[in-house]
């Protein structure tokens, strides 16, 4: 089961927001993640941290969502950081030619360590 765990984005520092993602980011879940990230990257100078510690898989659709978020942030003179990107994700980024495209934090920021306040599950029916 894949899910995007997030609540109201939590501040990391004075302006950064954290979105915690878990499970698989693939064709089936990419749209839900994009819908979560688009409002967060819509304003001026967005500062966003994606906590990817619990991501177990990412395919080209997932990479596309990350690239879309990066492009939207950069177009608005903001900052996007990937936190907790382990060896697996770094390898995927390198093989996709995206190794230098993202700012990678060595671990998740302290503000991301707490439990999520809400869960968005793309598998759930409404």
């Amino acid at each position: 089961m894949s899910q995007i765990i997030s609540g109201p984005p939590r501040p990391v520092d004075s302006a950064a927001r954290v979105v915690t993602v878990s499970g698989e980011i693939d064709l089936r879940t990419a749209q839900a993640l994009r819908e979560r990230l688009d409002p967060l990257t819509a304003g001026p100078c967005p500062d966003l941290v994606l906590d990817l510690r619990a991501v177990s898989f990412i395919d080209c659709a997932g990479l596309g969502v990350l690239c879309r978020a990066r492009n939207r942030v950069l177009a608005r003179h903001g900052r996007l950081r990937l936190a907790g990107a382990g060896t697996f994700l770094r390898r995927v980024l390198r093989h996709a030619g995206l190794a230098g495209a993202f700012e990678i934090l060595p671990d998740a920021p302290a503000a991301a360590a707490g439990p999520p306040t809400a869960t968005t599950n793309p598998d759930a029916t409404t």
Side-chain angles (χ1 to χ4, degrees), residues 2 24-34 57-65 122-123:
S2 302
E24 299 177 354
I25 309 174
D26 57 15
L27 184 60
R28 191 172 51 84
T29 61
Q31 182 175 343
L33 181 57
R34 185 181 67 240
F57 176 82
I58 187 166
D59 68 5
C60 61
L63 291 174
V65 172
D123 295 324

Side-chain angles (χ1 to χ4, degrees), residues 16-66:
R17 303 288 184 171
V18 176
V19 175
T20 302
V21 184
S22 71
E24 299 177 354
I25 309 174
D26 57 15
L27 184 60
R28 191 172 51 84
T29 61
Q31 182 175 343
L33 181 57
R34 185 181 67 240
E35 289 172 358
R36 178 68 178 128
L37 296 179
D38 277 359
L40 299 175
T41 59
C45 299
D47 190 358
L48 190 61
V49 176
L50 298 182
D51 179 357
L52 304 174
R53 289 177 294 173
V55 171
S56 58
F57 176 82
I58 187 166
D59 68 5
C60 61
L63 291 174
V65 172
L66 296 183

Side-chain angles (χ1 to χ4, degrees), residues 46-120:
D47 190 358
L48 190 61
V49 176
L50 298 182
D51 179 357
L52 304 174
R53 289 177 294 173
V55 171
S56 58
F57 176 82
I58 187 166
D59 68 5
C60 61
L63 291 174
V65 172
L66 296 183
C67 288
R68 174 185 170 88
R70 176 189 172 272
N71 292 342
R72 289 172 56 89
V73 165
L74 293 178
R76 292 162 179 82
H77 308 287
R79 184 176 184 193
L80 173 67
R81 290 164 282 174
L82 306 182
T87 305
F88 142 75
L89 186 55
R90 290 173 192 259
R91 185 178 308 127
V92 169
L93 292 172
R94 187 176 62 248
H95 288 301
L98 297 170
F102 295 94
E103 181 181 350
I104 308 234
L105 299 175
D107 201 358
T117 56
T119 299
T120 303

